[in-house]
Amino acid sequence: MSVPAIQPPVLGRKKRPKWPWFTAAAAAAVLVGAISVATEPKPALTADATSVVATEPVRTTDPVVAAAERSAAEAAREAEESRASESARRFFEAAASSSAAAEAQRKADEEAERKANQITYSVTTTGSGISTVTYSKPDFNISQESDVRGRKWSKTIDTAGDAVSIGLNAQNAGGGTITCRITRGNGSVVAENSSSGQYAVVTCG
């Protein structure tokens, strides 16, 4: 009886563990994902955004651009100052114009009041001349003028604040018609009368 020969065991290749490869692949995937997220453009904020991230203004280092920006800012500042100066000038001009108008109105009112308080006596004749004129003045004073030259005579008195009785008498130096008139500064006629004849006497008041 023959004994079979004992074959030596066949040694196979030793299998390498696979977990290092899986670990490396997972790490690479995570790295690629992180790079993709970091480089992905962020969407712009819309009107519905609930928060806005403040960003610093971009400052240029280009000297030409920087000079242009400074020039534009200076021009804007000068334009604002010019507008403010123009507004102030118009305001003061309007104020001065209003003040001047008020002053002119005040003077006009004073002049109208002064004229309203004025009394003008006047005498005319168709004859050779006027012999005498007698008229009332403020504070009840009476004045008389004789040998009046010419055929016309007039006198204006101011009665503002004074007690005055208005009256006028005149006499012809010869024949003809002699006329007297009393008027106020505003043009209204207070009294008017005429008389004719040799050495005629006329009275107004």
Side-chain angles (χ1 to χ4, degrees):
M1 182 176 179
S2 60
V3 178
I6 299 174
Q7 297 291 332
V10 178
L11 298 176
R13 291 182 179 179
K14 187 177 181 182
K15 296 183 179 182
R16 295 180 180 179
K18 297 181 178 182
W19 62 267
W21 295 98
F22 289 115
T23 302
V30 171
L31 179 61
V32 170
I35 294 174
S36 176
V37 170
T39 58
E40 182 179 359
K42 296 181 180 180
L45 292 176
T46 64
D48 296 332
T50 59
S51 62
V52 177
V53 178
T55 58
E56 291 292 331
V58 178
R59 299 183 182 276
T60 180
T61 57
D62 190 334
V64 176
V65 176
E69 290 177 350
R70 288 193 300 270
S71 178
E74 181 67 16
R77 184 185 63 79
E78 291 179 354
E80 182 63 26
E81 290 179 353
S82 177
R83 285 193 294 270
S85 177
E86 181 66 15
S87 298
R89 183 185 66 80
R90 290 180 179 178
F91 172 80
F92 287 115
E93 284 183 353
S97 177
S98 177
S99 177
E103 180 65 14
Q105 184 62 43
R106 184 187 65 80
K107 290 182 177 180
D109 293 341
E110 289 180 352
E111 181 65 14
E113 184 178 359
R114 185 184 67 82
K115 287 184 176 181
N117 291 323
Q118 285 181 341
I119 293 293
T120 299
Y121 298 121
S122 62
V123 178
T124 60
T125 182
T126 61
S128 60
I130 302 169
S131 176
T132 59
V133 176
T134 304
Y135 58 93
S136 299
K137 296 198 305 185
D139 296 329
F140 302 101
N141 292 318
I142 296 176
S143 182
Q144 186 179 66
E145 297 184 17
S146 303
D147 299 326
V148 179
R149 294 182 180 181
R151 294 184 296 178
K152 292 182 179 181
W153 173 91
S154 67
K155 177 74 69 173
T156 299
I157 61 175
D158 192 353
T159 64
D162 296 319
V164 60
S165 61
I166 300 173
L168 172 64
N169 294 327
Q171 185 178 15
N172 252 341
T177 300
I178 187 167
T179 302
C180 64
R181 176 189 292 237
I182 303 174
T183 58
R184 293 192 179 275
N186 57 11
S188 62
V189 178
V190 178
E192 185 174 14
N193 199 7
S194 295
S195 181
S196 299
Q198 195 75 8
Y199 304 107
V201 176
V202 68
T203 301
C204 290

